Amino acid sequence: MTERIDHTLRGRWTPTTGTLPPHALKWLRQRAGLPDVTTPARTPSVPATALSDAAHSALDAVVGPGYVRVDRDSRLGRAGGLSYLDLLRQRGDGTLAVPDAVVLPATPEQVVDVLRTCADHDVAVVPFGGGTSVVGGVAALRGDKAAVIALDLVRLDKLVSVDPLSRIAVVQAGVPAPEAERLLAPHGLTIGHVPQSYERATIGGFAATRSAGQASSGYGRFEDMVQGVRLATPVGEWRLGAAPASAAGPDLKQLVIGSEGAFGVITEVSVRVRPRPVVERYEGFVVDGWARGAAAVRSLAQGRVLADVTRLSDVDETEVSLALAGGWKTTALRAYLSARKVKDPCLLILGWHGQSEDEVRRRRRETLRGLRLVSLGRVLGEAWRHGRFNGPRQRDTLMDLGVCVETLETAAHWSRVSELRTAVRDAVTDALGRCIVMCHISHAYETGASLYFTVLAARDAGDPIGQWQVAKAAASEAIGGVGTISHHHAVGADHVPYLEAEIGGLGIEVLTSVKRTLDPTGVLNPGKLIQSGLASPG
Amino acid sequence: MTERIDHTLRGRWTPTTGTLPPHALKWLRQRAGLPDVTTPARTPSVPATALSDAAHSALDAVVGPGYVRVDRDSRLGRAGGLSYLDLLRQRGDGTLAVPDAVVLPATPEQVVDVLRTCADHDVAVVPFGGGTSVVGGVAALRGDKAAVIALDLVRLDKLVSVDPLSRIAVVQAGVPAPEAERLLAPHGLTIGHVPQSYERATIGGFAATRSAGQASSGYGRFEDMVQGVRLATPVGEWRLGAAPASAAGPDLKQLVIGSEGAFGVITEVSVRVRPRPVVERYEGFVVDGWARGAAAVRSLAQGRVLADVTRLSDVDETEVSLALAGGWKTTALRAYLSARKVKDPCLLILGWHGQSEDEVRRRRRETLRGLRLVSLGRVLGEAWRHGRFNGPRQRDTLMDLGVCVETLETAAHWSRVSELRTAVRDAVTDALGRCIVMCHISHAYETGASLYFTVLAARDAGDPIGQWQVAKAAASEAIGGVGTISHHHAVGADHVPYLEAEIGGLGIEVLTSVKRTLDPTGVLNPGKLIQSGLASPG
């Protein structure tokens, strides 16, 4: 038990080194105009806990001695998520919101009791799973409450049951994704949900944030997998999910999925599982030009022959990928594409999972039928697969080097996907000046696709937080009215100002009314999803 | 315009004749023990309208002269839906709830104004599309209001726009399904949503009731197709649907889909469309025994190789199908199955749609790979296709003959599907005594399937309504805790008492809070979905 918690904490905010090779650094410095300096992290300040003795005792009584922690490391380890702004604050820039305590319940019943206790003692509650939010979803905001706790779900770590005939597993919310796969492996089953946050993120977090994974073309978005939920609220427990599909009124599961801890704390998820793939095949291809690439992905989605992993990079992202390959590999790849008269190479990664070589071969044939692609073979596909979780790992290194590095994402219908890509690029570039803005489609649907942007620029040492806030605001304004403010990162605190434009004033009122019903005193995750207590976001 | 409305009314409740061949009647009489009598319909009584002159004038001002109708035929034509109990009441049994007026708005804006006017004048509103609800969803209940109108959406009859690149069509709510297909045909597109109510039902009704169609294995449930909705409420208009997928909080579209007119009136639906199929192939097969049949359908769903139409009848339904084939056909089919040593034949209809013979052949091969089925060939498949809408047509004939005839449906996870089929059969048989209870799976998912029951018995002439209410209650009790109270018929008025067991007290409270936000005075479809104004259904 203790080991698991320590592991969760250990090294979370410690800069790692050596994960970015020297040639990559050199290239990035030139391309993005980075200063040749290191800017090491400072230690953030941690205020004294504001948790009252009475609240502390009452919480102790619920979760047991030792599971209400007020030490500095515990609190600092749950102070926000993994956005660029979070990392800046962890490094001593701006103001870091630190929870007054970390509370570790052991059962779904204890979670309900913790929430009731917090409601009684005027304590705000931030549910905390893997802590991988990049939109301020786990910022320790207290709203108008006297104190705020991080409700760490790490002890809800069990595989509750498996129904192999119905292909459903009931998993507790605190189980990290790799652990869920490890628990399901003896049953020959997989969830197949692999977002970039996979290594740390939890099952409950996937449901709470309406997550989508890198293999969502094959396995579906997490909301497609959820069969049922168990939600702890200050007014009691709510269970949903009687059947594989239903017309018994609105699908209330969909009101819990994506509720981001503002309506309750998800304690268990019934999730659809599938047989573990026996064969996985990843390949790299190149299309000449973004428009052709997007058309190819659209034809796959609309023809319903998408690979399980389908990921199209734009020219800039492809350029970075080629450059980061390094040395003779970069030279060889460029020569190969030049010989094939590819002017504007866009990298397309395709991956298929199956129960047999034959099945994968058959599905691959269906995917590739009718497409005109330049194949780069399996090595590049495998390289992508092995590096798929590197992004978050490399960020600390980049931040040490004075880089402003962040991602943002959206989705739009096909007729507006390319227009939206250009609009966001232009907005970010206008705001930041010299920078790299790269983009990929990683989730395709019959009616549209996601757009995922990675931004790299020299950090404004004077006002690093303000620098990114301006760029993010510009991107969010460009998205408004064309796409969604988030395709899979959720609302958190950062997107609250933009939600009303997307779901309308009535949408905010409906969310507020649901919150008032389930969380009458407003202790749940203040300032996330909606500005609780207010009619509209302020 | 006028022709459309007249057509909507014409013959809606008039018993049709001659749609059931003599041999079928003879067989049914013997099998279900029907009396050899005819029981013709009586004329239901229609009370004087309770709509005040002030409300009438105010509504006239919104929709224009001639579009607020209080004549007997208009009102009687919107007095309830097509459930067995509705038909009994239309034939003079029990008490028929008749709307005080029929109001016909022409635009989404007029719908908002009608709702505001009704809120001002204490008038309840029952949204009315095709009037095909079989669960009391369009019963003209007034709740605690002074009067009740049927809000007929027939004039919202336009295809608003088509985005062929994104494969999205925006369709007004009053467009009947066949008309939507006719409007989309010049674009080479189809919605592909074909429930048994297809001939009358409307696009808005599909969304309001979370409909599933006979080809839902291929085209998805209607909720899967909906990209966006436009909802008129007494507090204004609500539009949703910015992107193909989103993590911008809970999917509020899913709160509107299945809201059954209790939260607002859907006026427009953005719906995913696909190229019209060029080739359709339907075939009949037989599996020996229900358990083997269900296992076969499960393997198709879990292997993701379902045919677009997949429908498995149990032994009783298969027996009825064979008997209704008639004469030498019945004899030949029985001999054919006997020669193949099929003891307990279960009919399996499979249908594939595609853009080419080659595509259909390929998909058919994938579906049939590994299954052990006895083929009955394409004639039987085509026969099913041609007769697929006959059920509703034949009910008036059966009712003239003194038959109690009704359907009910549910869904469960695979590990409980067969247990639930038996439980519902037993419950209905215990309640009705001598009867035919037949069942089929027509919607299969990776995690479970629907069960659709058709019940035939001799009508209790003394208390026909009570007779069915007892059987329906028994079936609903059997479903509770195992499956959903409705897989695709919705809640309406009939399932209100059973919803809390499925979604919990908190579920009812959440629905109530949403309703209070969007419909503060409670004019919208009183008594449907939830008992509005009460904390729990009474």
Side-chain angles (χ1 to χ4, degrees), chain B residues 135-168:
Chain B
V135 291
V138 292
L141 308 179
R142 74 189 61 208
D144 59 358
K145 304 300 165 197
V148 55
I149 63 162
L151 184 73
D152 194 318
L153 299 164
V154 67
R155 294 170 76 197
L156 295 181
D157 60 357
K158 288 165 198 63
L159 174 62
V160 178
S161 63
V162 176
D163 175 351
L165 200 74
S166 308
R167 292 201 177 161
I168 295 173

mmCIF file of all heavy atoms in Angstrom, chain B residues 135-168:
data_model
loop_
_atom_site.group_PDB
_atom_site.id
_atom_site.type_symbol
_atom_site.label_atom_id
_atom_site.label_comp_id
_atom_site.label_asym_id
_atom_site.label_seq_id
_atom_site.Cartn_x
_atom_site.Cartn_y
_atom_site.Cartn_z
ATOM 1 N N VAL B 135 -45.798 3.614 -25.431
ATOM 2 C CA VAL B 135 -45.646 3.629 -23.974
ATOM 3 C C VAL B 135 -46.352 4.843 -23.354
ATOM 4 O O VAL B 135 -45.990 5.295 -22.267
ATOM 5 C CB VAL B 135 -44.151 3.632 -23.565
ATOM 6 C CG1 VAL B 135 -43.500 2.306 -23.905
ATOM 7 C CG2 VAL B 135 -43.396 4.790 -24.227
ATOM 8 N N GLY B 136 -47.362 5.364 -24.065
ATOM 9 C CA GLY B 136 -48.093 6.507 -23.516
ATOM 10 C C GLY B 136 -47.348 7.821 -23.611
ATOM 11 O O GLY B 136 -47.702 8.781 -22.921
ATOM 12 N N GLY B 137 -46.334 7.873 -24.481
ATOM 13 C CA GLY B 137 -45.500 9.074 -24.563
ATOM 14 C C GLY B 137 -46.220 10.296 -25.107
ATOM 15 O O GLY B 137 -45.797 11.422 -24.861
ATOM 16 N N VAL B 138 -47.308 10.087 -25.859
ATOM 17 C CA VAL B 138 -48.059 11.225 -26.404
ATOM 18 C C VAL B 138 -49.488 11.275 -25.863
ATOM 19 O O VAL B 138 -50.364 11.905 -26.460
ATOM 20 C CB VAL B 138 -48.057 11.230 -27.957
ATOM 21 C CG1 VAL B 138 -46.650 11.521 -28.473
ATOM 22 C CG2 VAL B 138 -48.563 9.910 -28.536
ATOM 23 N N ALA B 139 -49.708 10.599 -24.743
ATOM 24 C CA ALA B 139 -51.028 10.702 -24.108
ATOM 25 C C ALA B 139 -51.280 12.157 -23.721
ATOM 26 O O ALA B 139 -50.384 12.833 -23.219
ATOM 27 C CB ALA B 139 -51.088 9.807 -22.868
ATOM 28 N N ALA B 140 -52.506 12.616 -23.942
ATOM 29 C CA ALA B 140 -52.808 14.044 -23.736
ATOM 30 C C ALA B 140 -53.129 14.305 -22.262
ATOM 31 O O ALA B 140 -54.235 14.711 -21.910
ATOM 32 C CB ALA B 140 -53.954 14.460 -24.646
ATOM 33 N N LEU B 141 -52.133 14.097 -21.407
ATOM 34 C CA LEU B 141 -52.310 14.321 -19.970
ATOM 35 C C LEU B 141 -52.089 15.797 -19.665
ATOM 36 O O LEU B 141 -51.160 16.400 -20.181
ATOM 37 C CB LEU B 141 -51.312 13.464 -19.187
ATOM 38 C CG LEU B 141 -51.284 11.969 -19.514
ATOM 39 C CD1 LEU B 141 -50.238 11.249 -18.679
ATOM 40 C CD2 LEU B 141 -52.668 11.349 -19.299
ATOM 41 N N ARG B 142 -52.936 16.341 -18.812
ATOM 42 C CA ARG B 142 -52.785 17.777 -18.531
ATOM 43 C C ARG B 142 -52.094 18.047 -17.204
ATOM 44 O O ARG B 142 -51.842 19.213 -16.873
ATOM 45 C CB ARG B 142 -54.126 18.477 -18.630
ATOM 46 C CG ARG B 142 -55.099 18.234 -17.478
ATOM 47 C CD ARG B 142 -56.457 18.806 -17.833
ATOM 48 N NE ARG B 142 -56.969 18.131 -19.023
ATOM 49 C CZ ARG B 142 -57.818 18.684 -19.898
ATOM 50 N NH1 ARG B 142 -58.253 19.897 -19.698
ATOM 51 N NH2 ARG B 142 -58.232 18.003 -20.947
ATOM 52 N N GLY B 143 -51.817 17.006 -16.429
ATOM 53 C CA GLY B 143 -51.192 17.243 -15.123
ATOM 54 C C GLY B 143 -52.061 18.175 -14.303
ATOM 55 O O GLY B 143 -53.275 17.975 -14.224
ATOM 56 N N ASP B 144 -51.475 19.229 -13.749
ATOM 57 C CA ASP B 144 -52.244 20.182 -12.930
ATOM 58 C C ASP B 144 -52.587 21.453 -13.713
ATOM 59 O O ASP B 144 -52.913 22.478 -13.129
ATOM 60 C CB ASP B 144 -51.465 20.529 -11.656
ATOM 61 C CG ASP B 144 -50.098 21.148 -11.962
ATOM 62 O OD1 ASP B 144 -49.755 21.268 -13.166
ATOM 63 O OD2 ASP B 144 -49.379 21.515 -11.018
ATOM 64 N N LYS B 145 -52.508 21.342 -15.056
ATOM 65 C CA LYS B 145 -52.757 22.531 -15.874
ATOM 66 C C LYS B 145 -54.239 22.648 -16.240
ATOM 67 O O LYS B 145 -54.993 21.676 -16.170
ATOM 68 C CB LYS B 145 -51.921 22.484 -17.160
ATOM 69 C CG LYS B 145 -50.423 22.343 -16.905
ATOM 70 C CD LYS B 145 -49.869 23.489 -16.084
ATOM 71 C CE LYS B 145 -48.494 23.167 -15.523
ATOM 72 N NZ LYS B 145 -48.117 24.060 -14.418
ATOM 73 N N ALA B 146 -54.634 23.850 -16.695
ATOM 74 C CA ALA B 146 -56.034 24.109 -17.011
ATOM 75 C C ALA B 146 -56.462 23.446 -18.313
ATOM 76 O O ALA B 146 -57.641 23.123 -18.514
ATOM 77 C CB ALA B 146 -56.270 25.616 -17.098
ATOM 78 N N ALA B 147 -55.494 23.226 -19.206
ATOM 79 C CA ALA B 147 -55.812 22.633 -20.504
ATOM 80 C C ALA B 147 -54.552 21.973 -21.045
ATOM 81 O O ALA B 147 -53.466 22.110 -20.468
ATOM 82 C CB ALA B 147 -56.317 23.701 -21.480
ATOM 83 N N VAL B 148 -54.718 21.224 -22.124
ATOM 84 C CA VAL B 148 -53.554 20.567 -22.734
ATOM 85 C C VAL B 148 -53.685 20.628 -24.252
ATOM 86 O O VAL B 148 -54.764 20.395 -24.804
ATOM 87 C CB VAL B 148 -53.407 19.097 -22.243
ATOM 88 C CG1 VAL B 148 -54.674 18.288 -22.486
ATOM 89 C CG2 VAL B 148 -52.202 18.415 -22.884
ATOM 90 N N ILE B 149 -52.564 20.973 -24.904
ATOM 91 C CA ILE B 149 -52.569 20.962 -26.373
ATOM 92 C C ILE B 149 -51.637 19.876 -26.888
ATOM 93 O O ILE B 149 -50.673 19.490 -26.215
ATOM 94 C CB ILE B 149 -52.116 22.318 -26.974
ATOM 95 C CG1 ILE B 149 -50.658 22.627 -26.568
ATOM 96 C CG2 ILE B 149 -53.055 23.443 -26.577
ATOM 97 C CD1 ILE B 149 -49.994 23.675 -27.432
ATOM 98 N N ALA B 150 -51.962 19.366 -28.066
ATOM 99 C CA ALA B 150 -50.998 18.558 -28.822
ATOM 100 C C ALA B 150 -50.239 19.523 -29.724
ATOM 101 O O ALA B 150 -50.844 20.272 -30.497
ATOM 102 C CB ALA B 150 -51.721 17.503 -29.649
ATOM 103 N N LEU B 151 -48.916 19.545 -29.566
ATOM 104 C CA LEU B 151 -48.081 20.419 -30.393
ATOM 105 C C LEU B 151 -47.606 19.592 -31.578
ATOM 106 O O LEU B 151 -46.616 18.861 -31.485
ATOM 107 C CB LEU B 151 -46.897 20.936 -29.572
ATOM 108 C CG LEU B 151 -45.976 21.932 -30.259
ATOM 109 C CD1 LEU B 151 -46.673 23.286 -30.383
ATOM 110 C CD2 LEU B 151 -44.691 22.099 -29.475
ATOM 111 N N ASP B 152 -48.357 19.684 -32.675
ATOM 112 C CA ASP B 152 -48.044 18.844 -33.839
ATOM 113 C C ASP B 152 -46.934 19.510 -34.651
ATOM 114 O O ASP B 152 -47.060 20.659 -35.063
ATOM 115 C CB ASP B 152 -49.301 18.650 -34.688
ATOM 116 C CG ASP B 152 -49.121 17.541 -35.697
ATOM 117 O OD1 ASP B 152 -48.047 17.449 -36.327
ATOM 118 O OD2 ASP B 152 -50.062 16.737 -35.863
ATOM 119 N N LEU B 153 -45.846 18.766 -34.878
ATOM 120 C CA LEU B 153 -44.655 19.348 -35.522
ATOM 121 C C LEU B 153 -44.630 19.132 -37.027
ATOM 122 O O LEU B 153 -43.594 19.301 -37.665
ATOM 123 C CB LEU B 153 -43.404 18.768 -34.862
ATOM 124 C CG LEU B 153 -43.315 19.094 -33.362
ATOM 125 C CD1 LEU B 153 -42.312 18.203 -32.656
ATOM 126 C CD2 LEU B 153 -42.967 20.562 -33.153
ATOM 127 N N VAL B 154 -45.797 18.776 -37.583
ATOM 128 C CA VAL B 154 -45.831 18.377 -38.997
ATOM 129 C C VAL B 154 -45.346 19.468 -39.953
ATOM 130 O O VAL B 154 -44.813 19.186 -41.024
ATOM 131 C CB VAL B 154 -47.251 17.887 -39.376
ATOM 132 C CG1 VAL B 154 -48.236 19.042 -39.328
ATOM 133 C CG2 VAL B 154 -47.266 17.193 -40.719
ATOM 134 N N ARG B 155 -45.482 20.753 -39.540
ATOM 135 C CA ARG B 155 -45.033 21.834 -40.438
ATOM 136 C C ARG B 155 -43.521 22.071 -40.361
ATOM 137 O O ARG B 155 -42.983 22.796 -41.191
ATOM 138 C CB ARG B 155 -45.783 23.126 -40.121
ATOM 139 C CG ARG B 155 -47.287 23.029 -40.420
ATOM 140 C CD ARG B 155 -48.021 24.230 -39.869
ATOM 141 N NE ARG B 155 -47.823 25.422 -40.684
ATOM 142 C CZ ARG B 155 -48.088 26.666 -40.255
ATOM 143 N NH1 ARG B 155 -48.502 26.855 -39.003
ATOM 144 N NH2 ARG B 155 -47.911 27.696 -41.052
ATOM 145 N N LEU B 156 -42.843 21.465 -39.401
ATOM 146 C CA LEU B 156 -41.365 21.533 -39.367
ATOM 147 C C LEU B 156 -40.860 20.413 -40.261
ATOM 148 O O LEU B 156 -40.408 19.372 -39.800
ATOM 149 C CB LEU B 156 -40.846 21.385 -37.941
ATOM 150 C CG LEU B 156 -41.229 22.504 -36.969
ATOM 151 C CD1 LEU B 156 -40.640 22.248 -35.595
ATOM 152 C CD2 LEU B 156 -40.736 23.859 -37.486
ATOM 153 N N ASP B 157 -40.980 20.645 -41.558
ATOM 154 C CA ASP B 157 -40.878 19.552 -42.530
ATOM 155 C C ASP B 157 -39.723 19.711 -43.508
ATOM 156 O O ASP B 157 -39.743 19.152 -44.590
ATOM 157 C CB ASP B 157 -42.203 19.422 -43.291
ATOM 158 C CG ASP B 157 -42.563 20.701 -44.038
ATOM 159 O OD1 ASP B 157 -41.811 21.699 -43.920
ATOM 160 O OD2 ASP B 157 -43.600 20.708 -44.730
ATOM 161 N N LYS B 158 -38.692 20.474 -43.098
ATOM 162 C CA LYS B 158 -37.636 20.821 -44.063
ATOM 163 C C LYS B 158 -36.306 20.113 -43.801
ATOM 164 O O LYS B 158 -35.929 19.871 -42.661
ATOM 165 C CB LYS B 158 -37.394 22.333 -44.034
ATOM 166 C CG LYS B 158 -38.544 23.102 -44.677
ATOM 167 C CD LYS B 158 -38.531 24.565 -44.374
ATOM 168 C CE LYS B 158 -39.917 25.149 -44.660
ATOM 169 N NZ LYS B 158 -40.985 24.576 -43.781
ATOM 170 N N LEU B 159 -35.628 19.815 -44.883
ATOM 171 C CA LEU B 159 -34.204 19.485 -44.824
ATOM 172 C C LEU B 159 -33.476 20.821 -44.812
ATOM 173 O O LEU B 159 -33.492 21.550 -45.811
ATOM 174 C CB LEU B 159 -33.819 18.640 -46.045
ATOM 175 C CG LEU B 159 -32.329 18.331 -46.225
ATOM 176 C CD1 LEU B 159 -31.791 17.522 -45.056
ATOM 177 C CD2 LEU B 159 -32.114 17.574 -47.544
ATOM 178 N N VAL B 160 -32.877 21.188 -43.694
ATOM 179 C CA VAL B 160 -32.312 22.536 -43.533
ATOM 180 C C VAL B 160 -30.999 22.676 -44.296
ATOM 181 O O VAL B 160 -30.764 23.668 -44.969
ATOM 182 C CB VAL B 160 -32.094 22.844 -42.028
ATOM 183 C CG1 VAL B 160 -31.463 24.213 -41.836
ATOM 184 C CG2 VAL B 160 -33.410 22.734 -41.270
ATOM 185 N N SER B 161 -30.125 21.672 -44.174
ATOM 186 C CA SER B 161 -28.829 21.758 -44.853
ATOM 187 C C SER B 161 -28.184 20.384 -44.932
ATOM 188 O O SER B 161 -28.537 19.473 -44.168
ATOM 189 C CB SER B 161 -27.883 22.721 -44.118
ATOM 190 O OG SER B 161 -27.611 22.233 -42.824
ATOM 191 N N VAL B 162 -27.257 20.260 -45.855
ATOM 192 C CA VAL B 162 -26.492 19.019 -45.993
ATOM 193 C C VAL B 162 -25.015 19.409 -46.090
ATOM 194 O O VAL B 162 -24.653 20.294 -46.856
ATOM 195 C CB VAL B 162 -26.899 18.223 -47.252
ATOM 196 C CG1 VAL B 162 -26.012 16.989 -47.414
ATOM 197 C CG2 VAL B 162 -28.359 17.821 -47.182
ATOM 198 N N ASP B 163 -24.184 18.777 -45.275
ATOM 199 C CA ASP B 163 -22.734 18.960 -45.354
ATOM 200 C C ASP B 163 -22.163 17.626 -45.830
ATOM 201 O O ASP B 163 -21.894 16.740 -45.024
ATOM 202 C CB ASP B 163 -22.199 19.354 -43.963
ATOM 203 C CG ASP B 163 -20.668 19.447 -43.903
ATOM 204 O OD1 ASP B 163 -19.999 19.049 -44.880
ATOM 205 O OD2 ASP B 163 -20.154 19.911 -42.875
ATOM 206 N N PRO B 164 -21.999 17.466 -47.147
ATOM 207 C CA PRO B 164 -21.621 16.134 -47.661
ATOM 208 C C PRO B 164 -20.215 15.714 -47.224
ATOM 209 O O PRO B 164 -19.975 14.522 -47.027
ATOM 210 C CB PRO B 164 -21.710 16.296 -49.180
ATOM 211 C CG PRO B 164 -21.686 17.752 -49.441
ATOM 212 C CD PRO B 164 -22.185 18.454 -48.215
ATOM 213 N N LEU B 165 -19.306 16.686 -47.040
ATOM 214 C CA LEU B 165 -17.948 16.338 -46.619
ATOM 215 C C LEU B 165 -17.962 15.747 -45.200
ATOM 216 O O LEU B 165 -17.325 14.721 -44.932
ATOM 217 C CB LEU B 165 -17.057 17.579 -46.668
ATOM 218 C CG LEU B 165 -15.558 17.309 -46.722
ATOM 219 C CD1 LEU B 165 -15.148 16.809 -48.094
ATOM 220 C CD2 LEU B 165 -14.774 18.575 -46.373
ATOM 221 N N SER B 166 -18.711 16.404 -44.313
ATOM 222 C CA SER B 166 -18.795 15.927 -42.932
ATOM 223 C C SER B 166 -19.873 14.858 -42.764
ATOM 224 O O SER B 166 -20.016 14.300 -41.687
ATOM 225 C CB SER B 166 -19.110 17.092 -41.984
ATOM 226 O OG SER B 166 -18.224 18.165 -42.175
ATOM 227 N N ARG B 167 -20.632 14.631 -43.834
ATOM 228 C CA ARG B 167 -21.729 13.658 -43.779
ATOM 229 C C ARG B 167 -22.706 13.951 -42.650
ATOM 230 O O ARG B 167 -22.997 13.112 -41.805
ATOM 231 C CB ARG B 167 -21.186 12.238 -43.671
ATOM 232 C CG ARG B 167 -20.475 11.828 -44.952
ATOM 233 C CD ARG B 167 -20.376 10.347 -45.103
ATOM 234 N NE ARG B 167 -19.747 9.991 -46.363
ATOM 235 C CZ ARG B 167 -19.209 8.807 -46.579
ATOM 236 N NH1 ARG B 167 -19.236 7.874 -45.653
ATOM 237 N NH2 ARG B 167 -18.662 8.536 -47.751
ATOM 238 N N ILE B 168 -23.174 15.188 -42.671
ATOM 239 C CA ILE B 168 -24.153 15.619 -41.675
ATOM 240 C C ILE B 168 -25.309 16.302 -42.393
ATOM 241 O O ILE B 168 -25.093 17.127 -43.280
ATOM 242 C CB ILE B 168 -23.532 16.617 -40.669
ATOM 243 C CG1 ILE B 168 -22.450 15.923 -39.844
ATOM 244 C CG2 ILE B 168 -24.599 17.210 -39.741
ATOM 245 C CD1 ILE B 168 -21.657 16.859 -38.950
#
